[in-house]
C-alpha cells in the first residue's frame, strides 16, 4: 500500500486469476472426450491448488497488516459461492458412477497427486500412472477437484470473516499507513486555503499577527473540519469520529469506515480514490498539525527542544492523556507530566549514561511496531503507574475508559503491570528508567 492514485480501469492480478479459473471450469464442463477431459481436469486441479496457495499467503499477510488496494476488487463473499458452484458443476465426465464411495486424499497423498499431475502435464509420466494412483487411493479426479474447490471456498469464507473481525490495533496501524501515504505524496502536506489559494502553513502563519494567531488557528481548524461535513460520503463518519471540541480523532473509527468501504472508494469512476482519500487525510493531518501549533503558542511551558516534529507530537499526545487521569490523592497532573518529560529526556537537563540509553528504547517503543504505538505504550504506562498506586483504585477497563472513553485495548494496561507476567520484553527493558523517576506519593 504505497499510493492513493489507483488505476481502477484494470483488474488486480487476484481477480484475473479467479476469472481465469472460471473460464477453465466452464470449458471443462463442455468437454466430453474422456482423454481430453482428464488432461484439462488436471490443469484445472493444479490451477485450483495454485489459487489456494496464493490466497493462503494473502490471508496470512493480511492477518498482520490490513490491505487497502491489494485485491480490492475481489468480493470474497461472492467468490466463495462462485468457486463452490463451479467445482460442483464439473460433472460433464465422470470416470465411475458411484461418486459417494470415493475417498478424500490425505495431505501426504494430495501432495503426491500434485507432483504427479505436474509431471504428467510436462510429459514426464503417462496419464495412466496418475489415474492408477488415484484408483489405488479409492478416489477419482473429479473428487479431487471438488475437495480442492471446497478448501478454496472455505478459505474465502475464513478470509472474509477475518477481515471484519480484526483487533483494533490493526485498524489503528491501517490508519497510520494511510497517513504515511498522504504525507509521502504531498511535498506541502499542511496548507491553508485563503481566497481559494492554497498556502503552506508556515507562509500563512508568517502573514498573521502573532497575538491573533491562536484564534485564527482554531478558526481554520473549524472551517476545514466543517467542510468535510458537507461531503455526503464522509458526513456520518466525520460526525462520529472527529471531535473538534475535544481535539481528538477516533483513528480506529476512520480506519474501519475506510477499510470496509475500500472497494467503493477505489471503484468510483466519478470521484477518484486519490481525491477522496487525499481530501480526508489533508483535513485530518492539517487539524492535528494546527492543534499542535495551538498548544505550542498557548502552552509554551509544555514545549521542549526535541529532535523533530514527530517527537513533539508524541509528547503532546502523552501530556494530553495525563489530564484525563483520575489520579490518587497527593498526585497531580504536573507530577505525571514531569515524569513523562523526564523519561523521554525532554527536559532542559538531559539524561546521560544508562538512563539516556533506556530513554531511547522508550522512544523506539513509541515509534515502531504495529498498532497505535503511542496509545499502546501509554496504556502500558498506566498499568505501571496503577501498580504503584498513583491512580485511584479501578479495574483496567475502567482506567481505559478514563483516558479513551472505551474498553478497546484495555488489556495493554495489564501488560504494563510489573505485578503481572504478561509484560512485553521491550517494555520490561525500560522499567528501571520508570522505577528511577516514578513519582512518590507524599
Amino acid at each position: 500500500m504505497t499510493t492513493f492514485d489507483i488505476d481502477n480501469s484494470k483488474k488486480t492480478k487476484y481477480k484475473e486469476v479467479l476469472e481465469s479459473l472460471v473460464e477453465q471450469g466452464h470449458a471443462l464442463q463442455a468437454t466430453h472426450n474422456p482423454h481430453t477431459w482428464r488432461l484439462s481436469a488436471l490443469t484445472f486441479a493444479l490451477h485450483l491448488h495454485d489459487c489456494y496457495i496464493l490466497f493462503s499467503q494473502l490471508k496470512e499477510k493480511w492477518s498482520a497488516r490490513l490491505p487497502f488496494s491489494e485485491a480490492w476488487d475481489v468480493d470474497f463473499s461472492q467468490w466463495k459461492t462462485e468457486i463452490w458452484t463451479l467445482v460442483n458443476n464439473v460433472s460433464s465426465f465422470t470416470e465411475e458412477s458411484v461418486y459417494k464411495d470415493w475417498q478424500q486424499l490425505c495431505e501426504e497423498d494430495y501432495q503426491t497427486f500434485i507432483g504427479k499431475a505436474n509431471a504428467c502435464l510436462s510429459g514426464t509420466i503417462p496419464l495412466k500412472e496418475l489415474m492408477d494412483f488415484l484408483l489405488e487411493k479409492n478416489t477419482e479426479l473429479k473428487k479431487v477437484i471438488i475437495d480442492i474447490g471446497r478448501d478454496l471456498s472455505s478459505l474465502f469464507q475464513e478470509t472474509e470473516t477475518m477481515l471484519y473481525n480484526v483487533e483494533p490495533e490493526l485498524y489503528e496501524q491501517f490508519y497510520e499507513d494511510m497517513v504515511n501515504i498522504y504525507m509521502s505524496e504531498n511535498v506541502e502536506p499542511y496548507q491553508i486555503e485563503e481566497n481559494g489559494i492554497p498556502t503552506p502553513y508556515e507562509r500563512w502563519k508568517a502573514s498573521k499577527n502573532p497575538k491573533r494567531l491562536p484564534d485564527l488557528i482554531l478558526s481554520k481548524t473549524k472551517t476545514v473540519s466543517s467542510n468535510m461535513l458537507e461531503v455526503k460520503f464522509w458526513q456520518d463518519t466525520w460526525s462520529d469520529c472527529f471531535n473538534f471540541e475535544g481535539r481528538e480523532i477516533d483513528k480506529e473509527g476512520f480506519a474501519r469506515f475506510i477499510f470496509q468501504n475500500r472497494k467503493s472508494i477505489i471503484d468510483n469512476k466519478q470521484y477518484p480514490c486519490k481525491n477522496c482519500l487525499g481530501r480526508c487525510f489533508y483535513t485530518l493531518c492539517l487539524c492535528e498539525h494546527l492543534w499542535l501549533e495551538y498548544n505550542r503558542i498557548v502552552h509554551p511551558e509544555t514545549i521542549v527542544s526535541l529532535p523533530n516534529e514527530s517527537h513533539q507530537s508524541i509528547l503532546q499526545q502523552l501530556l494530553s492523556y495525563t489530564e484525563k487521569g483520575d489520579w490518587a490523592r497527593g498526585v497531580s497532573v504536573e507530577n505525571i507530566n514531569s515524569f513523562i518529560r523526564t523519561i523521554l529526556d525532554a527536559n532542559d537537563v538531559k539524561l546521560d549514561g544508562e538512563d539516556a540509553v533506556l530513554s531511547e528504547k522508550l522512544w523506539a517503543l513509541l515509534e515502531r511496531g504495529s498498532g497505535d504505538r503511542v496509545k499502546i505504550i501509554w496504556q502500558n504506562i498506566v498499568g505501571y503507574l496503577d501498580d504503584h498506586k498513583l491512580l485511584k483504585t479501578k479495574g483496567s477497563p475502567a482506567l481505559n475508559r478514563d483516558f479513551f472513553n472505551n474498553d478497546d485495548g484495555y488489556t495493554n494496561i495489564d501488560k504494563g503491570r510489573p505485578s503481572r507476567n504478561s509484560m512485553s520484553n521491550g517494555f520490561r527493558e525500560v522499567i528501571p528508567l520508570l522505577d528511577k523517576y516514578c513519582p512518590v506519593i507524599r
Side-chain angles (χ1 to χ4, degrees):
M1 187 164 67
T2 58
T3 179
F4 292 154
D5 192 11
I6 300 167
D7 184 0
N8 61 11
S9 66
K10 297 179 181 178
K11 299 170 184 174
T12 65
K13 67 177 182 180
Y14 299 97
K15 188 168 185 181
E16 288 180 342
V17 165
L18 291 171
E19 289 185 343
S20 173
L21 203 60
V22 169
E23 289 180 8
Q24 279 188 299
H26 289 163
L28 193 57
Q29 292 171 34
T31 302
H32 302 289
N33 179 279
H35 184 75
T36 303
W37 187 92
R38 287 170 183 158
L39 289 176
S40 298
L42 274 183
T43 302
F44 184 57
L46 289 175
H47 282 192
L48 278 169
H49 172 76
D50 291 343
C51 193
Y52 181 85
I53 298 299
L54 177 68
F55 281 95
S56 292
Q57 293 171 343
L58 206 62
K59 177 175 177 285
E60 182 178 357
K61 183 167 64 169
W62 289 356
S63 67
R65 205 175 194 113
L66 292 178
F68 178 62
S69 59
E70 195 171 40
W72 65 266
D73 51 359
V74 175
D75 183 334
F76 289 97
S77 179
Q78 170 196 334
W79 280 103
K80 70 184 178 186
T81 303
E82 182 105 19
I83 293 298
W84 184 233
T85 301
L86 181 69
V87 297
N88 270 298
N89 287 339
V90 177
S91 56
S92 59
F93 175 79
T94 304
E95 297 174 65
E96 301 290 345
S97 58
V98 188
Y99 163 70
K100 63 183 178 63
D101 292 334
W102 293 117
Q103 303 297 309
Q104 182 172 354
L105 295 175
C106 68
E107 180 61 27
E108 183 179 353
D109 289 339
Y110 174 72
Q111 293 303 325
T112 300
F113 164 76
I114 294 298
K116 286 183 176 292
N118 276 304
C120 180
L121 290 175
S122 66
T124 307
I125 66 171
L127 177 61
K128 185 178 184 304
E129 182 176 329
L130 177 61
M131 296 299 108
D132 288 344
F133 168 77
L134 292 177
L135 189 59
E136 288 174 11
K137 301 301 177 181
N138 197 29
T139 194
E140 66 162 354
L141 195 48
K142 176 187 171 184
K143 169 63 174 167
V144 175
I145 288 173
I146 288 177
D147 288 340
I148 302 175
R150 179 189 294 110
D151 289 345
L152 182 57
S153 183
S154 296
L155 175 64
F156 288 162
Q157 172 66 56
E158 293 165 8
T159 302
E160 181 186 31
T161 301
M162 179 197 75
L163 286 177
Y164 294 103
N165 292 277
V166 297
E167 293 298 320
E169 288 78 8
L170 283 182
Y171 279 118
E172 289 161 359
Q173 180 62 58
F174 179 80
Y175 179 91
E176 294 303 324
D177 287 343
M178 305 296 277
V179 168
N180 290 336
I181 292 174
Y182 170 75
M183 297 297 285
S184 66
E185 290 192 330
N186 293 273
V187 178
E188 294 284 357
Y190 311 122
Q191 299 209 40
I192 303 293
E193 189 170 299
E194 279 197 313
N195 300 320
I197 302 174
T199 304
Y201 171 76
E202 291 300 329
R203 190 184 305 169
W204 175 83
K205 175 182 174 182
S207 69
K208 303 303 175 186
N209 183 330
K211 292 181 179 180
R212 293 198 59 224
L213 195 55
D215 290 337
L216 292 173
I217 286 175
L218 291 182
S219 176
K220 281 298 177 185
T221 307
K222 186 173 184 178
T223 298
V224 295
S225 62
S226 296
N227 287 343
M228 292 302 295
L229 290 170
E230 298 176 6
V231 183
K232 185 176 181 180
F233 181 77
W234 293 109
Q235 281 176 352
D236 290 342
T237 303
W238 211 265
S239 297
D240 294 341
C241 301
F242 189 91
N243 184 347
F244 174 77
E245 297 299 331
R247 299 177 197 166
E248 291 181 328
I249 293 171
D250 179 1
K251 297 178 181 180
E252 181 191 340
F254 272 106
R256 283 181 182 274
F257 175 77
I258 293 169
F259 177 72
Q260 293 175 14
N261 289 277
R262 66 190 187 116
K263 186 178 188 301
S264 62
I265 292 172
I266 296 173
D267 204 28
N268 193 309
K269 301 298 191 294
Q270 283 73 42
Y271 196 44
C273 172
K274 183 176 178 66
N275 295 352
C276 178
L277 292 180
R279 180 170 182 176
C280 173
F281 284 95
Y282 154 74
T283 308
L284 292 171
C285 292
L286 178 61
C287 287
E288 281 204 297
H289 182 73
L290 291 176
W291 287 334
L292 178 60
E293 284 288 288
Y294 179 85
N295 282 335
R296 283 175 172 165
I297 297 168
V298 177
H299 303 292
E301 71 279 1
T302 65
I303 303 302
V304 295
S305 177
L306 286 172
N308 54 53
E309 188 170 279
S310 173
H311 280 198
Q312 291 278 15
S313 179
I314 289 172
L315 177 61
Q316 287 305 307
Q317 188 173 341
L318 292 172
L319 295 181
S320 72
Y321 289 151
T322 66
E323 298 176 359
K324 302 176 182 180
D326 193 5
W327 304 106
R329 175 173 293 202
V331 181
S332 67
V333 172
E334 289 71 23
N335 295 149
I336 305 301
N337 283 349
S338 176
F339 169 66
I340 295 299
R341 286 195 290 266
T342 299
I343 61 177
L344 291 178
D345 204 6
N347 288 321
D348 292 335
V349 178
K350 296 298 181 181
L351 300 176
D352 57 15
E354 184 63 18
D355 289 352
V357 172
L358 292 178
S359 183
E360 285 296 322
K361 288 185 177 181
L362 181 56
W363 273 113
L365 292 176
L366 287 162
E367 295 183 292
R368 302 170 198 162
S370 62
D372 185 339
R373 298 306 301 166
V374 180
K375 177 182 177 181
I376 292 169
I377 298 305
W378 174 250
Q379 289 168 324
N380 293 163
I381 292 174
V382 168
Y384 171 87
L385 295 174
D386 190 49
D387 250 23
H388 284 73
K389 312 299 182 186
L390 298 180
L391 285 144
K392 291 182 181 177
T393 304
K394 298 180 181 181
S396 296
L399 287 171
N400 203 71
R401 286 192 289 273
D402 284 344
F403 294 104
F404 303 107
N405 297 318
N406 57 54
D407 292 348
D408 294 345
Y410 77 86
T411 55
N412 291 320
I413 292 177
D414 291 329
K415 293 176 182 178
R417 299 181 185 276
S419 60
R420 304 285 180 92
N421 295 321
S422 56
M423 187 181 292
S424 70
N425 292 332
F427 192 71
R428 190 177 300 281
E429 286 183 7
V430 302
I431 289 296
L433 177 68
L434 274 60
D435 286 344
K436 184 171 181 177
Y437 297 102
C438 182
V440 178
I441 299 178
R442 301 191 186 281

